[in-house]
């Protein structure tokens, strides 16, 4: 079983969206038994909250249900998960500072490394932006998660 953890700052927009997309892709491919998928944040500010209502709304119109409850990353996550995917350079830097070992650091990847359609180097945080920002995030994450699934299939 491959264990995948998506990380963003607060775990209310980007990472729960990536989690939902990946779960749907895995389910549609009838490969649910091969994966454990979760998401977490780098800060605990939103701990216990559901996803941002704007992200939930945009997700719903695209066929996704965001049911994840925000939680901060834990030290044990570096042991549990096989791949830890971050959304931007700030997430990358913080995860590397938190990683307890070189082996843990080697699990950290940028989600955009798996994009095959979008030429981007990060997933922008839509929290302070407008409606199009949420749509853009979903577009990028759909591309990246499909690329990730394809790579993990090889």
């Amino acid at each position: 079983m491959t264990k995948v953890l998506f990380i963003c700052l607060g775990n209310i927009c980007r990472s729960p969206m990536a989690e939902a997309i990946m779960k749907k892709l895995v389910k549609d491919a009838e490969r649910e038994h091969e994966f454990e998928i979760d998401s977490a944040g780098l800060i605990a500010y939103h701990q216990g909250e559901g996803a941002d209502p704007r992200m939930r709304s945009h997700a719903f119109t695209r066929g996704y249900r965001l049911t994840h409850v925000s939680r901060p990353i834990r030290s044990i996550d570096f042991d549990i998960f096989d791949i830890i995917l971050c959304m931007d350079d700030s997430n990358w830097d913080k995860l590397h500072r938190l990683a307890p070992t070189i082996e843990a650091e080697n699990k950290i990847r940028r989600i955009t490394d798996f994009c095959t359609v979008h030429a981007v180097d990060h997933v922008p945080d839509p929290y302070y932006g407008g409606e199009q920002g949420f749509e853009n995030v979903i577009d990028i994450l759909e591309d990246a998660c499909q690329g990730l699934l394809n790579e993990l299939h090889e």
Side-chain angles (χ1 to χ4, degrees):
M1 178 171 283
T2 302
K3 297 177 182 180
V4 179
L5 181 65
F6 295 99
I7 299 290
C8 70
L9 181 62
N11 193 216
I12 60 168
C13 290
R14 296 172 292 174
S15 58
M17 188 68 240
E19 176 187 349
I21 290 168
M22 191 68 180
K23 284 181 175 178
K24 184 176 187 312
L25 290 172
V26 164
K27 181 178 181 182
D28 291 350
E30 298 179 353
R31 297 178 60 196
E32 293 169 290
H33 61 285
E34 297 177 36
F35 293 92
E36 180 179 320
I37 302 162
D38 196 4
S39 66
L42 290 168
I43 60 173
Y45 183 78
H46 297 286
Q47 184 172 354
E49 295 178 19
D52 182 282
R54 298 164 296 171
M55 184 56 87
R56 283 199 315 262
S57 175
H58 286 273
F60 183 77
T61 63
R62 303 272 288 262
Y64 303 102
R65 286 194 61 228
L66 299 185
T67 58
H68 179 82
V69 174
S70 177
R71 72 169 182 87
I73 191 167
R74 308 163 300 204
S75 296
I76 196 166
D77 288 330
F78 288 98
D79 295 324
I80 294 171
F81 291 92
D82 302 306
I83 185 168
I84 300 172
L85 295 151
C86 63
M87 303 293 151
D88 59 37
D89 287 342
S90 176
N91 299 163
W92 171 269
D93 292 340
K94 176 105 186 226
L95 281 169
H96 275 83
R97 286 193 303 273
L98 292 173
T101 64
I102 296 296
E103 292 80 18
E105 282 189 55
N106 290 334
K107 295 178 179 187
I108 302 166
R109 301 278 305 271
R110 289 175 176 85
I111 185 68
T112 53
D113 289 349
F114 299 96
C115 285
T116 60
V117 176
H118 293 82
V120 294
D121 63 359
H122 71 285
V123 180
D125 190 342
Y127 190 80
Y128 294 106
E131 299 299 311
Q132 186 53 43
F134 291 92
E135 290 296 320
N136 185 45
V137 165
I138 296 171
D139 289 341
I140 294 169
L141 291 175
E142 284 178 335
D143 179 19
C145 287
Q146 185 63 63
L148 173 62
L149 185 59
N150 293 345
E151 184 165 312
L152 293 175
H153 182 69
E154 295 173 359

